[in-house]
Amino acid sequence: MLISAIVLLSACGASKSLSYQDGGKLRITTTTGMITDAAREVGGTHVEVTGLMSAGVDPHLYKASQGDIRKLDEADIIFYNGLHLEGKMNEIFENMAKTKTTVAVSDSIERSALRSGSLMKTEYDPHIWFDVQLWMKATETVRDTLIKQDPAHAEDYKSNAAAYLKQLEQLHQEVTKQILTIPEASRVLVTAHDAFGYFGDAYHLKVMGLQGISTASEAGTKDVTDLRDFLVNNKIKAVFIESSVPRKAIDAVIQGAKEKGHEIKIGGELFSDAMGKEGTPEGTYIGMVRHNVKTIAEALK
Ligand code: ZN
């Protein structure tokens, strides 16, 4: 009897662990690495977080696999960015929301604080994590959702969130100071796609992207020549590539400028829509922001 009980237990354990109401962990499935990180920080030891998108993955183009659907299906809570960042997954979230807690972390941010999309005027820019203070709001949404779902651990969620929010507030101050070290005329950030709008607004840089706010539309010839002319006319010395966007288009701009007698160098690689590899400093939200700011400040100074 004992043996069969053990076999039965381990069989259950392999496929389905205890529910959080019975002392198991709250199961959370997230989309981007930034959200995965926030859920782990706030949830601490009470949660098990599964992130769908790993390093270098472009969320605009991401399509959920059968395995992903299962991970979403098994979760107690689903967190996603929203504002159409995960453009190919909208229908899935709508369906999941019928049966379980499915929350866009951007939901609690006042619409007046959002940028409108540069391509389609009706759409908002989804890249909210580039303004650390907006990401603090997203973190609060994670906290409030966890408390509502699992009130038994409310105090822990509150204190975990408070500690993380304090780190984010310090990060915000740090970014502000670093950008101020760049001479004002050089505070121009040119990247492959238009992800850094919130960053520019929050930290006072002019931002230009070669593609619109989604990578779903490829940069056209006119985008390339417009950007080339801007760089040549304003003597901008460095542009940046992104880990989740192919560098083909930005190379075309550099080549075009060269033909007009203006040398542009690659200022470095920035993490835009995906974080670095897990286990590296850039594999956390805070580490990713630090890497970006350091890269930008060093290249433009
Ligand atoms: Zn993007």
Side-chain angles (χ1 to χ4, degrees):
M1 239 181 88
L2 185 65
I3 288 171
S4 63
I6 289 169
V7 169
L8 196 68
L9 263 179
S10 60
C12 288
S15 61
K16 215 170 184 197
S17 46
L18 278 180
S19 77
Y20 70 94
Q21 293 98 331
D22 296 325
K25 289 186 192 282
L26 186 65
R27 280 166 303 182
I28 302 174
T29 299
T30 56
T31 55
T32 67
M34 292 72 83
I35 304 172
T36 309
D37 200 20
R40 283 188 181 140
E41 290 285 347
V42 176
T45 54
H46 303 306
V47 301
E48 191 180 296
V49 185
T50 307
L52 298 184
M53 300 174 192
S54 53
V57 168
D58 182 344
H60 299 287
L61 305 176
Y62 191 83
K63 287 195 186 109
S65 66
Q66 277 310 312
D68 291 342
I69 304 280
R70 191 170 40 76
K71 287 171 191 162
L72 291 165
D73 219 27
E74 285 171 357
D76 299 307
I77 301 176
I78 295 168
F79 285 121
Y80 65 106
N81 187 83
L83 304 172
H84 297 282
L85 177 76
E86 303 94 340
K88 314 265 182 206
M89 292 177 73
N90 286 334
E91 209 177 307
I92 297 171
F93 297 135
E94 274 169 30
N95 280 328
M96 293 286 170
K98 289 174 192 157
T99 56
K100 66 176 74 208
T101 309
T102 305
V103 175
V105 298
S106 58
D107 263 359
S108 60
I109 299 171
E110 282 171 45
R111 301 295 103 160
S112 61
L114 295 174
R115 292 166 52 84
S116 62
S118 56
L119 281 184
M120 284 159 273
K121 288 274 180 272
T122 52
E123 266 187 2
Y124 293 108
D125 180 344
H127 304 89
I128 52 169
W129 57 93
F130 282 103
D131 177 340
V132 179
Q133 288 187 314
L134 284 185
W135 198 242
M136 289 170 74
K137 294 232 183 294
T139 303
E140 288 168 4
T141 300
V142 171
R143 176 197 63 197
D144 296 345
T145 308
L146 292 189
I147 290 173
K148 205 171 160 200
Q149 185 88 21
D150 180 23
H153 297 117
E155 287 312 311
D156 289 343
Y157 296 139
K158 272 184 211 163
S159 63
N160 290 346
Y164 190 51
L165 287 168
K166 199 174 161 195
Q167 287 183 54
L168 294 183
E169 178 56 39
Q170 282 165 357
L171 180 69
H172 172 70
Q173 305 296 343
E174 199 182 307
V175 176
T176 305
K177 270 190 213 144
Q178 285 250 20
I179 297 300
L180 286 174
T181 64
I182 306 167
E184 216 174 327
S186 303
R187 281 180 215 153
V188 180
L189 182 63
V190 179
T191 60
H193 96 296
D194 219 345
F196 289 80
Y198 290 105
F199 187 80
D201 282 358
Y203 306 108
H204 311 294
L205 277 99
K206 184 174 170 62
V207 173
M208 304 195 69
L210 190 49
Q211 273 170 327
I213 49 166
S214 167
T215 52
S217 61
E218 271 204 41
T221 319
K222 187 169 182 305
D223 300 324
V224 172
T225 52
D226 283 355
L227 187 60
R228 177 203 65 195
D229 293 345
F230 176 85
L231 295 172
V232 172
N233 295 337
N234 291 279
K235 303 186 173 62
I236 305 298
K237 294 194 186 81
V239 296
F240 299 87
I241 51 177
E242 295 170 48
S243 61
S244 56
V245 182
R247 57 181 287 176
K248 195 175 69 186
I250 210 95
D251 280 337
V253 172
I254 294 173
Q255 184 58 31
K258 198 175 176 185
E259 282 159 15
K260 293 206 147 200
H262 179 63
E263 283 289 341
I264 299 167
K265 69 174 168 63
I266 301 269
E269 185 179 50
L270 304 179
F271 295 99
S272 56
D273 292 359
M275 307 194 307
K277 283 204 177 66
E278 239 184 292
T280 66
E282 295 79 23
T284 67
Y285 172 70
I286 290 177
M288 159 196 186
V289 173
R290 284 208 174 113
H291 166 91
N292 283 350
V293 171
K294 186 166 173 269
T295 306
I296 292 165
E298 279 174 4
L300 295 180
K301 258 197 266 187

